[in-house]
Amino acid sequence: MQPSPFIGELVGTMVLILLGNGVVANVVLKKTKGESGGWIVITAGWAFAVMFGVFTANAFGSAAAHLNPAVTVGFAVLKNDYSFVATYIPAQLIGAFLGAVLVWLQYLPHWKATEDGGAKLACFSTGPAIKSTGANFLSEFIATVILIVGIVAIGYAGSSDPEKGGIPSGVAPYLVGMLVWSIGLSLGGTTGYAINPVRDLGPRIAHAILPIPNKGSSDWGYGWIPVVAPIAGAIIGGLILRSFSF
């Protein structure tokens, strides 16, 4: 098997979800060493998950390392080039599902030890602190616009002419991780900041089909918001950047 953009996106997204949802499981499941670690631990864990997911995607053949359909759509709109969408998004969804399965395996004894079905779902997918369709959609929309604009801004940092300089490529994953950390700390308290359709959808599918004791509902009634709102935010983010000739 040779490295390729498809394999890179798949494996990178799998690592992203394993480490990202893994930190949630470590904090919310019962009898773990990290139980009740809190929001700072979760947001930091997700930041590191993004960073190592990007590095992994690069190593396995995806130079772009989107790991997120919102990023893929945002860049497609920005560049008016949709040629990579059909390759990246299926790989990301498969990787997200596999990453969620690995989280389930990693914490296998702790599902039974945890009584709260909502806590178990949180180890897979996002959910609102206060359920309000319009407000929840807006939260994910705004956070994703910031994600897209922030990623592009990082790429242009350090030079007014990106063709002649900018930050070294190896530094970008650290900065993108910090961006996601910032979004989580500042904007994530409303919905859990999916900002990534497959980060929510792939693990939600896994939650629905895995034999998790007393897992409760997969909350599909809410599940469309962390899919649709980030895509909408990505489109608007891409259009904003395109209007400034990025």
Side-chain angles (χ1 to χ4, degrees), residues 12-237:
T13 307
M14 183 179 70
V15 169
L16 167 71
I17 299 301
L18 172 59
L19 297 180
N21 279 353
V23 72
V24 178
N26 192 28
V27 168
V28 306
L29 294 181
K30 295 298 182 183
K31 299 184 179 180
T32 72
K33 298 292 187 180
E35 185 180 352
S36 300
W39 190 244
I40 301 297
V41 172
I42 288 174
T43 56
W46 267 106
F48 300 146
V50 169
M51 179 181 68
F52 286 114
V54 169
F55 279 127
T56 303
N58 290 161
F60 279 83
S62 176
H66 288 175
L67 315 183
N68 180 346
V71 175
T72 298
V73 169
F75 273 90
V77 171
L78 170 60
K79 298 177 182 297
N80 197 26
D81 177 5
Y82 298 84
S83 61
F84 47 85
V85 172
T87 299
Y88 283 18
I89 292 180
Q92 292 158 359
L93 182 58
I94 295 167
F97 175 82
L98 294 176
V101 172
L102 291 175
V103 172
W104 170 66
L105 290 171
Q106 176 70 22
Y107 286 93
L108 204 55
H110 297 274
W111 307 109
K112 186 174 181 180
T114 304
E115 296 181 0
D116 185 355
K120 294 173 187 177
L121 178 59
C123 301
F124 291 86
S125 297
T126 62
I130 298 175
K131 197 164 242 186
S132 172
T133 299
N136 301 153
F137 188 99
L138 186 61
S139 291
E140 288 291 338
F141 176 87
I142 291 171
T144 308
V145 171
I146 295 300
L147 175 69
I148 301 303
V149 172
I151 289 173
V152 173
I154 287 168
Y156 279 71
S159 172
S160 59
D161 183 353
E163 299 298 326
K164 296 181 180 179
I167 60 171
S169 60
V171 175
Y174 293 94
L175 298 179
V176 173
M178 291 178 68
L179 170 63
V180 172
W181 197 359
S182 178
I183 291 171
L185 289 173
S186 301
L187 308 177
T190 53
T191 59
Y193 71 118
I195 57 174
N196 180 340
V198 300
R199 170 267 175 273
D200 193 277
L201 180 59
R204 199 179 295 270
I205 293 171
H207 177 271
I209 67 177
L210 287 171
I212 303 166
N214 303 312
K215 63 184 174 182
S217 169
S218 299
D219 197 11
W220 288 105
Y222 176 78
W224 68 272
I225 291 177
V227 173
V228 177
I231 293 296
I235 292 170
I236 296 303

